[in-house]
Amino acid sequence: MPDIMPGFFPTLLFLLAVACEPVPTPVQSEMIENPSVPSILRVRTGDEVRVGGEGYMVDDFITFDCETFDGSKLEIQCPVTDARADYAMLRIAEGFISDMDYVVELRRDGEYQILGETTVVLTDEGPVDPVEEVNVRGSVLCDGLPVPGVWISDGVAWALTGEDGSYSMKSEKKFGLIFMVIPSGYEAPADGSFPEFWRKFSSVDAEDEENVDFELVKVDNDVHKMILTADWHIAGRYGDSSWLGQTYGAEMLSLESEVPVYELALGDLTWDSFWYTNSIFPMTWRNLNAHRNHIIFPVIGNHDFDYKCKTQLEASARYRSALGPLCYSMNIGKVHYVVMNDIAYFNSTGTVEGRNPLEMVSAEDLEWLREDLSHVDLSTPVVLAVHAAVNKFVWSGNRWMLSTIVRNADDLLGLFSDFEDVRIVAGHRHISHYMDLKAEGRPYAKNRMVEYTVPPVGGTLWSSHDLCGFDIGTDGCPPCYEVCEVNGKDFTFTFRSYGEDENFQMRCYDMNSVKKFWDTDSRVNTLYTAKAMYSYSSLFGPYEANSVFINVFAGDPRMENIRVEVFEGQTALPVTVVGVYDPQHVASYDVLAYTENGSVNSAFKSVVSSHIFKVVASDAETDLTVKLTDRYGRVYTQKVERPKAFSSYTKY
């Protein structure tokens, strides 16, 4: 027997002890909050997929475990390539067996956490999609479960999620993003006030394949409120940003409700002329509105394009990057909302002076809309949100007539002609209009089709406040918004002015006092001496002693949908519709602007208002009572104590 080296047995015993020592068992831990994993992953090796949850790290590995057909264990580790606040991206490694169920775990420093389960389907093992050359795949999930029947679009192409919640499409990636049509009974998770129903492509190269997933949250929104705002023109002027944070913020908090609240912001959110001088861009507007207590759906306006760019695609890039697609839709409760860009942007020089936007919808967008509406039942109420009003009232021949603004309005609204109930909401004109298009005899309005032009949130774009101490719009409306309360398929619209209760629906003028002001105020004399249009008769019509004007902010000249009654004691006075300028805006903006600047900005000067009504009292002293019955039977009253004072500084 050969000699054994000294120390051999102790060493051997040590090695045996080490070999027999049990391997430390990973400890189960909750490293990730709110983890979620798609129930089905349709992927190829190298694809990047998204898993939800808070707490991932770039150095993490996500492990996929399954038991194969022969009973052996398969374990594949996929690295986390990007970790965000509420999700992580991981790269699919080699070695997966298709159509197998996997347990998904995170392992980190001796700890592990089960994130969920998924079925992996390898799409490179054979043709699994009828679409040729598919380059975008993904899924739509709610609480980790697939949501079938959700439409997905890139602004041109469409796809529909199957029973497994997955979709695939061939995208040219023209607009650099992809979005889902939020189905009824759901919301998209929000980043602050903005719903994440859209995603940017990670690559704009159509040759690059990628996976884009969406998530939904269940919500009961058959009953909801939709706030309508228009023409913000945030530009870093006149304290507009401060107003946004204070007055608007407080007003929106006052609208807190037991039902879901949303907002359609109807374009001209910013003012392109001041983007580069005052550093106010679409992303600035988004950041200023990041923490509202409701969800905001934006609409692009003509001043939300980048004037330094000549083409619409280039000029809308900043907007799309911050606020998403220019055309999209969503289902909220029983209502289908569709947002369209009705501004065709042209710029010959890439300067402010070169801008030439036209009110029209492109042929490509009309085709996208046609496809979108084909998915909607004709009995579903539809709300079309655009920036440029499609129609307008004009005062001609001593009467109000309906005229068209959008050049291809017949093509646009013709797509809605078979729907039972269509509401169009718009801004752009900085005034208030209500138009019943069926009553006006428009051929595309076979059924109910009405259009609302919403006045701007800042009156005369914030410029009158420094002159008279308050904001007022060119047609006399205060800075305002509309609240649309939706109950199933029923709509109720309410005009609201910032800082006022909902009873502030009209402003009354004792025209005796207005005439006296025009005859005696030196600033008025200076203005109409320079500009004949500012004579009293040119602005307010033939003078009748003891006339009283009533500006009904949400009124309409047909008086078929509202009722204005004026009483002198118990006697009802005849009420007529007139086509005149609002006296307060002329006095508070035009007169004071000319006094201060020697000119009146043509974009801000007073316009003929379509919602002013006139009565003639029996004398100059008798008080009047004005009774307004709105479209929903609600009654508002205002006592006019005469003589009623008037000046450039009279707010009420």
Side-chain angles (χ1 to χ4, degrees):
M1 179 176 178
D3 291 336
I4 298 176
M5 291 190 310
F8 172 79
F9 284 111
T11 302
L12 178 61
L13 292 172
F14 171 77
L15 293 173
L16 289 172
V18 171
C20 295
E21 186 174 305
V23 176
T25 302
V27 177
Q28 186 168 352
S29 176
E30 293 190 5
M31 297 170 282
I32 306 300
E33 295 183 16
N34 305 314
S36 65
V37 177
S39 59
I40 296 178
L41 288 174
R42 300 169 62 87
V43 294
R44 300 183 183 189
T45 299
D47 280 355
E48 292 199 349
V49 299
R50 173 170 164 161
V51 291
E54 304 168 16
Y56 292 104
M57 300 170 62
V58 174
D59 293 334
D60 285 337
F61 278 87
I62 307 296
T63 302
F64 290 74
D65 296 323
C66 80
E67 184 174 326
T68 64
F69 298 111
D70 61 7
S72 61
K73 303 291 185 182
L74 177 64
E75 178 182 295
I76 299 175
Q77 290 189 333
C78 298
V80 170
T81 58
D82 189 13
R84 300 297 177 93
D86 57 356
Y87 70 90
M89 303 297 296
L90 59 90
R91 182 176 295 111
I92 298 298
E94 295 182 351
F96 279 93
I97 299 176
S98 186
D99 301 301
M100 300 293 292
D101 296 331
Y102 292 81
V103 176
V104 184
E105 296 182 2
L106 169 66
R107 297 181 185 176
R108 181 195 296 165
D109 298 332
E111 297 180 332
Y112 79 98
Q113 180 180 354
I114 296 177
L115 304 176
E117 297 182 0
T118 188
T119 301
V120 175
V121 179
L122 296 179
T123 60
D124 56 358
E125 291 196 339
V128 296
D129 198 293
V131 181
E132 295 181 0
E133 300 180 0
V134 166
N135 60 346
V136 182
R137 298 171 175 80
S139 61
V140 180
L141 303 177
C142 177
D143 293 330
L145 299 176
V147 184
V150 179
W151 286 102
I152 310 293
S153 180
D154 63 353
V156 180
W158 288 86
L160 184 67
T161 61
E163 290 300 317
D164 61 358
S166 68
Y167 73 91
S168 57
M169 72 162 59
K170 170 64 175 177
S171 173
E172 296 300 326
K173 301 184 179 181
K174 176 179 179 179
F175 300 110
L177 46 77
I178 188 169
F179 54 93
M180 64 175 166
V181 177
I182 301 172
S184 179
Y186 292 90
E187 288 180 350
D191 176 14
S193 303
F194 295 92
E196 295 189 307
F197 68 93
W198 61 278
R199 301 266 191 268
K200 295 178 186 177
F201 285 126
S202 59
S203 167
V204 294
D205 188 342
E207 297 299 318
D208 292 339
E209 299 179 5
E210 52 191 293
N211 188 286
V212 184
D213 296 325
F214 297 94
E215 294 189 23
L216 289 167
V217 178
K218 279 188 174 294
V219 63
D220 181 2
N221 53 12
D222 279 5
V223 179
H224 64 271
K225 291 182 180 179
M226 180 63 75
I227 303 166
L228 304 174
T229 58
D231 294 281
W232 301 56
H233 286 269
I234 300 299
R237 305 164 74 239
Y238 303 118
D240 52 11
S241 298
S242 298
W243 174 91
L244 190 60
Q246 298 170 14
T247 307
Y248 171 78
E251 189 80 18
M252 294 301 103
L253 285 174
S254 73
L255 297 176
E256 284 188 349
S257 172
E258 294 181 356
V259 303
V261 180
Y262 309 93
E263 177 179 350
L264 280 166
L266 298 169
D268 280 2
L269 314 175
T270 59
W271 197 340
D272 55 338
S273 300
F274 299 94
W275 277 19
Y276 293 97
T277 54
N278 294 353
S279 296
I280 303 288
F281 300 98
M283 183 58 79
T284 314
W285 186 86
R286 177 182 176 124
N287 291 337
L288 287 168
N289 285 285
H291 302 293
R292 304 302 175 201
N293 58 327
H294 61 271
I295 298 300
I296 301 175
F297 293 99
V299 180
I300 194 168
N302 53 294
H303 287 290
D304 298 318
F305 290 91
D306 188 341
Y307 70 78
K308 290 191 175 183
C309 302
K310 295 183 178 181
T311 69
Q312 178 165 303
L313 188 62
E314 295 173 327
S316 63
R318 278 185 179 268
Y319 178 96
R320 284 183 280 115
S321 179
L323 296 170
L326 276 56
C327 299
Y328 61 95
S329 65
M330 61 277 188
N331 298 285
I332 302 178
K334 298 184 183 302
V335 182
H336 184 69
Y337 292 86
V338 57
V339 171
M340 293 298 295
N341 169 37
D342 64 350
I343 299 295
Y345 185 83
F346 302 94
N347 192 318
S348 58
T349 61
T351 63
V352 170
E353 295 75 21
R355 296 172 302 181
N356 184 30
L358 302 176
E359 293 95 346
M360 63 181 296
V361 180
S362 71
E364 181 179 57
D365 288 346
L366 285 174
E367 284 306 307
W368 179 91
L369 176 61
R370 187 190 309 276
E371 179 65 26
D372 176 77
L373 294 177
S374 73
H375 310 151
V376 183
D377 189 274
L378 295 177
S379 66
T380 300
V382 179
V383 175
L384 168 63
V386 290
H387 174 60
V390 183
N391 297 285
K392 65 179 178 179
F393 279 123
V394 294
W395 180 251
S396 177
N398 288 323
R399 64 192 181 107
W400 286 103
M401 300 179 63
L402 194 69
S403 178
T404 299
I405 299 175
V406 172
R407 297 185 176 210
N408 54 349
D410 288 358
D411 295 332
L412 171 63
L413 297 187
L415 296 177
F416 297 86
S417 62
D418 291 326
F419 284 89
E420 294 179 3
D421 188 354
V422 178
R423 319 286 175 126
I424 305 156
V425 294
H428 190 48
R429 302 202 64 231
H430 302 180
I431 60 174
S432 173
H433 267 347
Y434 173 91
M435 295 159 283
D436 186 331
L437 302 180
K438 183 179 181 181
E440 296 294 331
R442 285 297 190 252
Y444 44 70
K446 296 179 182 178
N447 304 300
R448 180 202 295 269
M449 184 179 287
V450 296
E451 181 171 358
Y452 305 80
T453 305
V454 180
V457 300
T460 308
L461 307 190
W462 320 100
S463 60
S464 69
H465 194 279
D466 284 358
L467 297 172
C468 66
F470 55 90
D471 291 300
I472 184 171
T474 56
D475 65 345
C477 285
C480 60
Y481 58 98
E482 296 259 3
V483 177
C484 176
E485 297 177 81
V486 182
N487 187 345
K489 294 185 176 183
D490 296 326
F491 294 76
T492 303
F493 285 79
T494 304
F495 179 96
R496 293 294 304 270
S497 176
Y498 293 99
E500 308 287 349
D501 66 34
E502 64 181 57
N503 292 311
F504 186 41
Q505 297 290 325
M506 55 186 147
R507 188 184 279 116
C508 299
Y509 301 104
D510 186 338
M511 296 307 292
N512 290 342
S513 299
V514 176
K515 181 66 164 61
K516 180 180 179 181
F517 174 78
W518 240 254
D519 289 343
T520 59
D521 190 278
S522 60
R523 295 166 300 184
V524 173
N525 183 67
T526 300
L527 176 57
Y528 76 64
T529 298
K531 297 180 179 293
M533 69 158 285
Y534 285 99
S535 69
Y536 184 92
S537 59
S538 297
L539 294 169
F540 311 122
Y543 176 64
E544 294 175 272
N546 306 322
S547 295
V548 173
F549 285 178
I550 304 104
N551 189 338
V552 179
F553 306 137
D556 71 83
R558 300 304 186 217
M559 294 184 70
E560 297 172 351
N561 300 290
I562 66 169
R563 187 164 69 253
V564 178
E565 300 170 278
V566 183
F567 298 91
E568 188 176 80
Q570 298 299 313
T571 302
L573 301 179
V575 179
T576 58
V577 179
V578 292
V580 297
Y581 295 84
D582 178 80
Q584 195 63 64
H585 187 268
V586 178
S588 296
Y589 178 75
D590 298 53
V591 171
L592 297 184
Y594 191 83
T595 300
E596 182 169 308
N597 305 315
S599 63
V600 180
N601 189 315
S602 60
F604 300 161
K605 70 179 182 181
S606 300
V607 299
V608 178
S609 174
S610 67
H611 40 83
I612 293 180
F613 306 88
K614 184 180 79 169
V615 297
V616 179
S618 62
D619 59 48
E621 304 290 331
T622 306
D623 295 343
L624 303 180
T625 299
V626 180
K627 178 182 176 183
L628 166 66
T629 305
D630 73 4
R631 299 175 183 90
Y632 311 99
R634 296 173 298 192
V635 177
Y636 307 91
T637 59
Q638 187 173 130
K639 186 73 173 291
V640 183
E641 297 180 354
R642 301 173 63 241
K644 185 175 186 286
F646 181 84
S647 76
S648 292
Y649 308 97
T650 309
K651 184 175 181 180
Y652 302 109

